[in-house]
Amino acid sequence: MTAFHIRPAMAGDAPGATETLRAAYAPYRAQGIALPPVEEGVAETIEETPVFVAQSGADIAGVIVLRIGTDHLQVENLAVHPAASGTGIATALLQQAERVARQRGLATLRLATHSALARTIGLYRHLGWTNSEMSGPKVMMEKPVSPD
């Protein structure tokens, strides 16, 4: 998996998005890291809120779930299939989130991640995210939306 394009998720993407979420989080769960069951209810989530996928050929290689807040855009979930790790999909999906926030006039992106996901936190920091709060293993981060 190398070439990909970002597009809004459709109902038919739920199985592929679910598999990508499962595969992306499996290594962390195997290490005993307690994570929420993010691969549950994907079809409903696609219907309820903005979801974008990175499609590579016929496969869903990445997924981002967004929630529109009153003054910010929340990144509820970001996952890249391990077979597509390192291809720029996570960055492209986060750039899509920033475009959505900008289109909706929202000045801030927010997310929560687990403190044990050091590589993920490193990517967020590299992309301009900063820690806004910590609560146990939960790390809250935010990033101002850059003007276009």
Side-chain angles (χ1 to χ4, degrees):
M1 284 191 223
T2 51
F4 64 88
H5 69 278
I6 307 297
R7 63 172 178 76
M10 300 177 289
D13 294 324
T18 300
E19 172 54 25
T20 292
L21 289 161
R22 187 206 59 73
Y25 288 102
Y28 301 113
R29 290 193 173 116
Q31 294 172 31
I33 299 170
L35 298 169
V38 295
E39 65 277 6
E40 294 178 4
V42 173
E44 294 82 5
T45 300
I46 289 172
E47 295 298 321
E48 295 169 358
T49 193
V51 177
F52 292 86
V53 295
Q55 185 169 347
S56 179
D59 298 323
I60 301 300
V63 60
I64 191 166
V65 177
L66 308 173
R67 295 269 180 207
I68 310 298
T70 56
D71 64 347
H72 70 281
L73 181 70
Q74 183 78 25
V75 176
E76 289 284 319
N77 204 337
L78 172 65
V80 175
H81 196 285
S85 181
T87 61
I89 288 173
T91 298
L93 288 166
L94 288 166
Q95 289 169 340
Q96 179 63 38
E98 195 159 350
R99 280 190 291 278
V100 170
R102 195 177 302 110
Q103 290 166 354
R104 294 183 179 256
L106 301 170
T108 306
L109 294 169
R110 293 186 184 150
L111 62 79
T113 189
H114 195 286
S115 61
L117 279 61
R119 184 171 175 225
T120 302
I121 292 170
L123 171 68
Y124 293 141
R125 287 186 178 141
H126 175 75
L127 295 175
W129 293 74
T130 58
N131 288 26
S132 59
E133 187 180 335
M134 290 189 70
S135 176
K138 190 180 212 180
V139 179
M140 279 68 79
M141 302 183 82
E142 62 182 33
K143 179 184 181 195
V145 174
S146 61
D148 199 20

